[in-house]
Structure formats: structure tokens, C-alpha cells
Amino acid sequence: MTILVTGATGQLGRLVADALLARGASAADIRLGARDVAKAADLAERGFEVAHLDYDDAASVASAVAGADTVLLISGSAVGQRVPQHRAVIDAAAAAGVTKLVYTSVTKATTTDLLLAPEHKATEEAIAASGVPAVILRNGWYTENYAGDVAQAAASGAIAKSAGDGRVASAARRDFAEAAAVVLLEDGHVGEIYELGGDEAWTFDDLAAAATEITGREVVYRRLTLEEQTAALTEAGLDAGTIGFLTGLDQNIAAGDLAFTDGTLARLIGRPTTPLTTALRAA
């Protein structure tokens, strides 16, 4: 069996490659797709097959997918361009007769108001329409997304957000990578849609407490209004698009859009998800 991992030089892709090996796969059976093959030189040295795969180059996608039985489509990072990029992989998988396509989507993709959801929803619909046997991994938030907030808090003593008392059921990237490896290697997952989140949904007060423990400095959570956060980000020199995204995300969190957790991730990987402080300290 040949397993293709797209976006393999990214933070999640590299962890998936490691998780596949840890769960008994052979590097010789794993093909890693990378837009810049040079960045995958270290992976090639470890025995992985490396293939050029650029989501914007359909020919490279088709070549990388050819001969693969199982494909992990890691969602692209180019917001606004991801649907056609993902369709290139889906079309290639259909043409190549791939028997399992695994896609990293987002929490409650088809029903949430989360800013990032529409492209994931469209991708899920494209996969369903393609007829390719598939597994959907609706990944929640990565704990590592908040490493920057903790680093800034070491200097400022505060984490300032307009997320109110909203909760985030995040988990470490390594946890999500292990889940991907499980469904890539095991039978019995095709047709499933897994909602994946950390075991505990934490508040920003909890994040401030974790930052206090990690930095050794007392850190507090400053609850901002939407207007206050917008003004602060504007003063910091951020552009309007970035400000809109950051404030919109905090409003999503305040509304509970990232709080869902039902233990599915822990059940898939066979262990508890990585605690908040542990993941942030590692990051």
C-alpha cells in the first residue's frame, strides 16, 4: 500500500509522517508531497519517497497521486484559494482510483459560523460528489496557535482578547497527526466524519493561568470589547483584513464555535489528548 501525504513539509504533515512510522508503517510505503521538494530533503534522507505536489499545478498533483492507494489531503493554507486547490487533489484521486481519501476539515464544517468553515464545507461537498471513498477529520483548533500569545504575555503580563468567556477545545498538532495516521492505516473508517477536539475545553482565564506557569510571571486575561480590540490592533499597525479575521475569530470563540469536544480524538489515538500547558510548553 502506498500512502500519499500532501503538504508534507508543513507543521502537520511532518508530524503525520512521524506518526505513521510510529504506528508501524514503512517509510518506503509513504510518499510525501511537497511544493518545494528541496524543503523535504531531510525527509528523503530518512527513506520517504518525496514527490513534487503543488496544489496550483494540476499536473504535479496528478503525478504525485498516481499509484497511491490512500491519500491524506491536508487543507491548504491559502485562504480564499483552497477550494480549487483541494479539487485538484480530489479529481486526481478519483482518476487514479484511490481507495481512501482522508481530508483535514474543521469543527462542524457544514453548520458552524466559524470564519474558516466555508472552504472546508465546499471541499467536503466536492469529496462527496467525487465518489472517492473518504474519511473526514474535522480538526479543532491547534493549541500551538496560542504559543505567540504566551510569548507576548511574558513581556506584557496580559492576554487581551474579545472572546468573552468562550471556550476552546484545542489539542496539540501531534494529537491530530496521530489521528490521521490511525485512519490512514486502519480499515473501518471510510464513510466516517470525525469531530476532533481536545479532552477539555478551556477558557482564556485558563490560558492565562497556563502562561503564568510557563513564563513564571503572573499573566491575566483582559476581556476587551470588540471595539477595544479593533482599536488596539489598529494601533499595533495591522491591516484591516487581519484585524477583521482576528476579531471575527474571537467572536466565533465567544459564541462557542470552537468549544465542541466529545472524546473522539482521544478514542482514536488511544490516549488522552495533550494538556494545554504541556502543549504550550513544548511549543
Side-chain angles (χ1 to χ4, degrees):
M1 180 176 71
T2 297
I3 297 171
L4 169 67
V5 178
T6 74
T9 56
Q11 293 171 305
L12 182 63
R14 287 179 174 274
L15 291 173
V16 171
D18 290 338
L20 286 168
L21 294 183
R23 289 184 175 270
S26 167
D29 295 327
I30 302 169
R31 182 181 302 160
L32 303 180
R35 182 176 60 182
D36 185 349
V37 174
K39 291 184 178 180
D42 61 312
L43 297 169
E45 290 173 359
R46 293 172 59 191
F48 294 106
E49 178 188 355
V50 175
H52 177 229
L53 192 160
D54 183 340
Y55 289 144
D56 293 316
D57 179 356
S60 76
V61 173
S63 177
V65 171
D69 306 288
T70 301
V71 174
L72 173 62
L73 170 53
I74 294 179
S75 57
S77 58
V79 176
Q81 304 174 43
R82 292 189 286 188
V83 176
Q85 290 178 338
H86 296 166
R87 280 203 183 109
V89 178
I90 297 164
D91 291 345
V98 166
T99 56
K100 185 193 297 182
L101 174 64
V102 181
Y103 174 59
T104 61
S105 188
V106 74
T107 303
K108 303 288 186 178
T110 56
T111 57
T112 184
D113 291 325
L114 189 65
L115 288 175
L116 295 174
E119 289 182 300
H120 291 291
K121 178 177 183 290
T123 299
E124 289 191 20
E125 290 170 347
I127 290 171
S130 75
V132 177
V135 186
I136 305 299
L137 301 178
R138 289 182 173 168
N139 288 357
W141 225 232
Y142 302 135
T143 300
E144 290 86 348
N145 291 344
Y146 294 99
D149 291 291
V150 173
Q152 291 176 2
S156 67
I159 293 173
K161 300 282 185 182
S162 62
D165 294 324
R167 292 178 175 270
V168 180
S170 70
R173 276 195 184 89
R174 191 173 300 277
D175 299 338
F176 292 108
E178 286 188 32
V182 167
V183 301
L184 287 168
L185 293 171
E186 292 183 355
D187 295 329
H189 297 284
V190 168
E192 297 291 342
I193 298 175
Y194 292 121
E195 298 283 353
L196 304 180
D199 291 340
E200 296 185 13
W202 49 263
T203 68
F204 281 87
D205 286 312
D206 296 326
L207 181 63
T212 297
E213 181 177 342
I214 292 166
T215 66
R217 172 178 181 170
E218 183 177 359
V219 177
V220 298
Y221 169 39
R222 289 179 51 215
R223 288 168 170 77
L224 303 179
T225 65
L226 175 58
E227 293 74 21
E228 288 171 338
Q229 186 182 31
T230 300
L233 295 174
T234 300
E235 184 177 349
L238 276 65
D239 63 87
T242 301
I243 292 171
F245 175 78
L246 293 175
T247 56
L249 178 59
D250 275 7
Q251 299 313 295
N252 285 148
I253 293 171
D257 292 326
L258 287 175
F260 181 79
T261 178
D262 66 357
T264 297
L265 178 54
R267 288 192 292 273
L268 272 179
I269 64 180
R271 61 168 177 80
T273 59
T274 306
L276 175 64
T277 301
T278 302
L280 287 171
R281 195 186 300 277

